Each structure stands twice: as C-alpha cells, then as structure tokens.
Amino acid sequence: METPAMQQNLAGKVAIVTGGSRGIGRAIVLELAARGANVVFSYAGNAAAAEETRAAAEALGVAARAIQADVASADAAATLVDAAKELGGVDILVNNAGITRDKLAARMSAEDFEAVIATNLTGAFYMAKAVLRPMMRARSGAIVNMSSVVGIHGNAGQVNYAASKAGLIGLTKSLAREVAGAGIRVNAVAPGFIATDMTDAMPEAAREATLAQIPARALGEPEDVAHAVAFLVSDDAHYITGQVLGVDGGMGM
Ligand code: NAP
C-alpha cells in the first residue's frame, strides 16, 4: 500500500508498541509504520498473529521486529529497548498490552486482581522507566498509555481492570509532570467499546447494554484508536502532554 508523503510524519523514528500482534495494538503498529516509523512490538504468545503483523508492517517499507515478552516481567522492557536501539533509538513508546479477568468483586480472586494490575499497570511502569534514559538523553520522546473509559467511569465486574486503567491515568499525569522539561510528552488514550477479540469475548447481553450507552450508537474500530495514538506521538501534538484523549463515540462524556 502506498502512503502519501504528507502522512509520513514519523519517518525514521523508532517506536515500541506493547501487545502489537492483534486488535488495537496491531492497528497502532500498522498506522505508525504507514507514517514511516520502524516498529518493535511485543506479544504474549500468539506467534502466528505476531508474524502476520510484522510482515504487514514491513510491507509498508519500514523495519519491524516482533518479540515474545510478557510485559509483567521487568526483564521484558530491557529486551524491547535493546531491540529498538538496534533500529536506531527509542522515540515513541505505546503501552498498549492489556488483559481482562472480569468477575464481580465478591467473587474475584486476589490472583485475578493482581494479574490484571501486573500486566496493565506495572508493565506500563516498567516500560516507561526503561525508555526514559534514552529519551532523556535525546531530550525528546512521546509516550502513550492505553487507558479506557472504564478507568474514568468504572464498570461492574471490572474492579481489577478499572483500577489498572485509572492507575494508568495517574501514571500518565505524574510522569508527564516529571519529564515535560526534558522534552518528553506523556499522554493517555481512553477507548470506549472497540471491536477486537477482547470485546468479542463479551456476552451478547453485555454487548447490547454497552452499545446502548454509546451516543454514536456504534462500536469503534482499532484504526480509530490508532489514529489518535499516531496524532499524540507526532510533532503535531508537541504542546500536548498529560492529557487523556477519549476515543469512544461520546461514551465517556
Ligand atoms: P486484544 O485484542 O485482547 O489484544 C491484546 C494484545 O496484547 C495482544 O497483542 C496480546 O498478545 C497482547 N498481550 C496480552 N497480554 C500481554 C502480556 N502480558 N505481555 C505482552 N503482550 C500481551 O486487546 P485489545 O482489545 O486490542 O486491547 C488493547 C488495549 O486497549 C488493552 O490495553 C485494552 O485494555 C485497551 N482497551 C480496549 C478496549 C476495547 O474495547 N477493545 C477498550 C478500552 C481499552 P497475544 O496476541 O500474543 O495474545
């Protein structure tokens, strides 16, 4: 696919995207690649999906690396940063990897709570910490954390997930304050209801109930989120930091 030159506004940059094999992360990998960025992305275990995404990114004319690495492990961050350095540095980090383990709080195990926090929140902290040094040295960088409308409004059955996504907003704003003077911007995106494997797994009744709460009366597509991320990591957003951008058809108003 040929991309108009005016869209190649990330040419030569190197991006790390966690959870890039499927869904929203895949769309982000391809959007950043279409804009000229070389991309290193992680995945949990779906090697076939990761290879498909990697090949699709390279078909756009950039270098792409897929690395199996659990974001909840502190070592994963160093592996991804090393891979990005091999491609030239770390300009962009998108903390996208996320999981759900839904249950009403009364029935939720401590393990279900901790696993979601470890992947969605602690993993983002490890990644952000690992990219800070190279970004500070370069006195430039852009980080986007994938929150959720659920992190702002809450959702029955998701105390673990909502806590992780609300935590990401606190992380985003605190880190944005710490590193703005070093030329690094940190923002969050809060998607509403996006059509991916994650939402496909929802029971039909829950899907219908959620759809009824969306003013736009439609699910979003992964590309809708990817466009918002691509804007936030670009120089067009150079004066934007510490923000939470809803991509939700009005659901989060
Ligand atoms: P998805 O379709 O389930 O894909 C999840 C991705 O994350 C996959 O690439 C998966 O890799 C990877 N992953 C999962 N656990 C990981 C781990 N421990 N380490 C590394 N990678 C891991 O999810 P999605 O719907 O695209 O969601 C992406 C992000 O957007 C998540 O943070 C989610 O919370 C957030 N979000 C989604 C929605 C929505 O409506 N879909 C709404 C708001 C926010 P494998 O392919 O190897 O499994």
Side-chain angles (χ1 to χ4, degrees):
M1 185 177 70
E2 198 158 318
T3 309
M6 62 179 289
Q7 284 186 11
Q8 291 261 330
N9 60 349
L10 301 176
K13 305 242 182 209
V14 182
I16 297 175
V17 179
T18 64
S21 47
R22 290 182 291 121
I24 293 169
R26 177 183 188 277
I28 293 168
V29 167
L30 297 184
E31 185 64 33
L32 300 186
R35 290 170 187 246
N38 301 306
V39 188
V40 172
F41 69 88
S42 66
Y43 64 101
N46 194 333
E51 175 49 25
E52 191 276 333
T53 300
R54 192 200 61 74
E58 290 215 326
L60 294 165
V62 300
R65 304 279 182 272
I67 297 177
Q68 182 176 17
D70 178 0
V71 283
S73 125
D75 300 342
T79 306
L80 293 174
V81 169
D82 286 348
K85 283 180 179 164
E86 278 173 25
L87 297 182
V90 197
D91 303 294
I92 294 163
L93 166 65
V94 184
N95 276 317
N96 165 78
I99 58 168
T100 52
R101 286 208 190 166
D102 298 353
K103 253 182 204 126
L104 293 174
R107 294 196 197 130
M108 186 180 287
S109 67
E111 194 205 352
D112 283 342
F113 189 88
E114 283 160 12
V116 170
I117 298 290
T119 301
N120 299 6
L121 181 57
T122 313
F125 166 69
Y126 289 149
M127 284 304 315
K129 192 170 158 65
V131 301
L132 281 184
R133 192 176 294 213
M135 285 184 177
M136 280 177 156
R137 211 174 287 135
R139 293 201 69 75
S140 113
I143 299 174
V144 173
N145 296 314
M146 197 58 63
S147 182
S148 166
V149 68
V150 165
I152 301 167
H153 290 276
N155 195 24
Q158 294 197 305
V159 293
N160 49 0
Y161 184 79
S164 73
K165 296 300 182 181
L168 279 173
I169 293 174
L171 185 156
T172 297
K173 293 184 177 182
S174 303
L175 187 58
R177 287 181 186 277
E178 288 185 18
V179 299
I184 304 167
R185 298 181 300 102
V186 190
N187 290 290
V189 170
F193 194 11
I194 310 296
T196 68
D197 294 343
M198 186 178 270
T199 43
D200 279 353
M202 281 171 78
E204 191 54 34
R207 284 171 64 88
E208 289 299 323
T210 308
L211 206 49
Q213 292 169 30
I214 305 174
R217 293 283 179 263
L219 268 64
E221 297 297 328
E223 290 72 21
D224 296 324
V225 182
H227 291 152
V229 171
F231 164 66
L232 286 172
V233 302
S234 77
D235 288 343
D236 289 341
H238 76 98
Y239 201 53
I240 300 177
T241 196
Q243 301 303 305
V244 183
L245 178 55
V247 182
D248 60 7
M251 190 182 178
M253 280 191 283

